[in-house]
Amino acid sequence: MKKWNQQYHDKFKAFALIHKVWDQKNLEKAWKSVKANRGSAGIDNITIEQFEQNLSQNLAEIQRLLKEKRYEPSPVLRILIPKDNGKMRKLGIPTVRDRVVQQALKNVLEPIFEEIFLPQSHGYRPNTNAHAAIRKGEAFLERGYHWVVDADIEGFFDHVDHQIMMDLVCEKIADGRVLSLIESFLKSGIMNEGIFEESIEGTPQGGNLSPLLSNIYLNHFDRRMGDYGYLLLRYADDIVIFCKFESDAEDALKRAKEILEGELKLKLSPEKTKVVHARKKGVEFLGFHFNGRWRRPRDKARKKFKEDIKYRTRRNQPVNIETVIRLLNPVIRGWGNYFKGGTVKKLYGELDGYIRGRLRSFKAKRRTQKTILYTLPQSELKEKGLISLSSLLNESISCKGKSQTKAVYGKSVCTV
């Protein structure tokens, strides 16, 4: 790794950064971000609300420990959430205190690394988002780059090599105390059902610093592939490469495997990594299925949306229909705004009908048993405040930036 780092060596490394991390204004800014993102407690069971009750004292204690070189992160709390394929996604939830320090680090480090990040990377970065990546992919297809490498990294966040990560961070950072602090978070360990486990690899998917670290790690892949002249799009660990000929795509896959597996010690999924012709089979990227002529929500995204609507309109809830509508609207708006840039007019009409049908069924179930059929006019549902997907088509896209970052942690309605 060091010989490749030397090629991209930047003599203008950043020194003396730790005082910026513990700066009072930076800690306060970091706290505001942590509070806005909400989230559950870590292994100490201290919630956002409890931390805020003694905010000044807690921030002062963080600052004191950082200044005295005595800050030690706690192990992250292991949480498992189901994935679409039936497997479980591993999340690591840091304590609120650790999230504040990670965010303070990110506030200082992000502008430094933005100087070397390449434009083909769109995940967890300021001034770009998933829609920008999708539009760029469509432009590549329109220019005739129809052969696409769809690369899937197995368990990326679980298998980041710590030494390689620190080597890549050292490309721009020369403050030993900042480096030690980053490494302490990488090696803080995991509390899994009350049992401590060492973290010998990986960066917890759930920490405030992990998205930035993932981009630092995969930026090496971006620039190495750029050296070979390939058109690459990346959103976190979601990677597609565009080529004009099948032979070029096969070569691109070979190069990608050499870099990801040989240089970064990651592993490509042999089942999910493939070369496809976009015009014939289409490409799935960031929740969309597109081929250059149109793009639509992929089947899994539509299915997941309907399942969410069905759950929120279950008929055994002890609430009225107005409450159900209030709970539905954020899901409808988030999902609808994310996908509305595609070919969705007909689909949105069908899904609007499905939502109305679920609400009518909910209302009918709560009436007397003598009621055989109950209809709830569309106009009445609108009066009760129901948002329709179709009505969003004329609004500007609003699901950007932070909400997409939350999607990685399973909290956002803009999940793809």
Side-chain angles (χ1 to χ4, degrees), residues 212-226:
L212 176 60
L213 292 180
S214 71
N215 276 332
I216 293 172
Y217 203 82
L218 289 174
N219 186 59
H220 175 79
F221 173 73
D222 296 345
R223 60 195 183 190
R224 291 281 284 129
M225 291 297 287

Side-chain angles (χ1 to χ4, degrees), residues 45-282:
N45 292 319
I46 296 177
T47 64
I48 293 284
E49 293 74 20
Q50 291 170 331
F51 188 91
E52 189 174 24
Q53 289 175 3
N54 298 298
L55 180 60
S56 297
Q57 180 180 340
N58 287 330
L59 294 183
E61 178 69 3
I62 288 173
Q63 187 181 60
R64 181 181 69 83
L65 292 172
L66 288 172
K67 286 183 176 181
E68 295 176 359
K69 304 181 184 180
R70 294 175 53 228
Y71 189 90
E72 295 184 6
S74 301
V76 297
L77 178 64
R78 170 57 49 80
I79 299 292
L80 300 177
I81 60 173
K83 298 169 67 174
D84 292 340
N85 59 8
K87 297 182 179 180
M88 303 300 288
R89 186 188 305 278
K90 298 177 182 178
L91 298 186
I93 309 301
T95 63
V96 176
R97 185 185 78 154
D98 285 345
R99 296 208 292 270
V100 171
V101 178
Q102 287 192 32
Q103 184 63 43
L105 271 170
K106 181 185 177 185
N107 292 346
V108 174
L109 297 177
E110 186 173 64
I112 296 171
F113 282 96
E114 276 295 318
E115 296 176 0
I116 63 170
F117 287 165
L118 300 181
Q120 52 261 51
S121 169
H122 294 270
Y124 319 130
R125 296 184 60 191
N127 305 316
T128 188
N129 53 48
H131 293 103
I134 292 165
R135 289 193 295 270
K136 193 176 291 185
E138 286 183 314
F140 290 159
L141 293 176
E142 290 173 0
R143 287 162 52 189
Y145 293 88
H146 296 154
W147 285 99
V148 179
V149 178
D150 185 357
D152 184 271
I153 302 174
E154 287 189 349
F156 167 72
F157 285 92
D158 297 328
H159 298 298
V160 166
D161 184 277
H162 289 174
Q163 186 57 57
I164 294 175
M165 171 63 79
M166 294 309 300
D167 286 344
L168 292 169
V169 172
C170 285
E171 286 189 16
K172 294 291 292 182
I173 306 301
D175 187 320
R177 293 180 65 178
V178 168
L179 294 172
S180 295
L181 189 58
I182 295 171
E183 191 168 20
S184 71
F185 278 112
L186 291 175
K187 299 183 180 300
S188 62
I190 301 162
M191 194 63 71
N192 189 5
E193 296 183 346
I195 300 174
F196 175 79
E197 299 176 1
E198 291 186 9
S199 48
I200 59 176
E201 63 177 355
T203 175
Q205 190 173 358
N208 298 58
L209 194 59
S210 292
L212 176 60
L213 292 180
S214 71
N215 276 332
I216 293 172
Y217 203 82
L218 289 174
N219 186 59
H220 175 79
F221 173 73
D222 296 345
R223 60 195 183 190
R224 291 281 284 129
M225 291 297 287
D227 288 344
Y228 290 113
Y230 292 114
L231 291 178
L232 168 74
L233 280 180
R234 184 174 64 79
Y235 192 96
D237 58 336
D238 200 344
I239 300 168
V240 287
I241 307 166
F242 295 82
C243 303
K244 285 195 172 182
F245 304 102
E246 184 177 12
S247 58
D248 291 342
E250 295 290 350
D251 288 341
L253 176 55
K254 180 181 177 181
R255 293 292 188 187
K257 187 173 182 179
E258 290 174 354
I259 297 167
L260 290 169
E261 297 189 354
E263 300 177 13
L264 294 176
K265 297 185 180 180
L266 300 170
K267 181 175 175 57
L268 286 174
S269 169
E271 296 82 16
K272 296 181 180 179
T273 299
K274 55 188 178 296
V275 173
V276 297
H277 191 281
R279 291 287 188 177
K280 296 177 181 178
K281 293 188 176 181

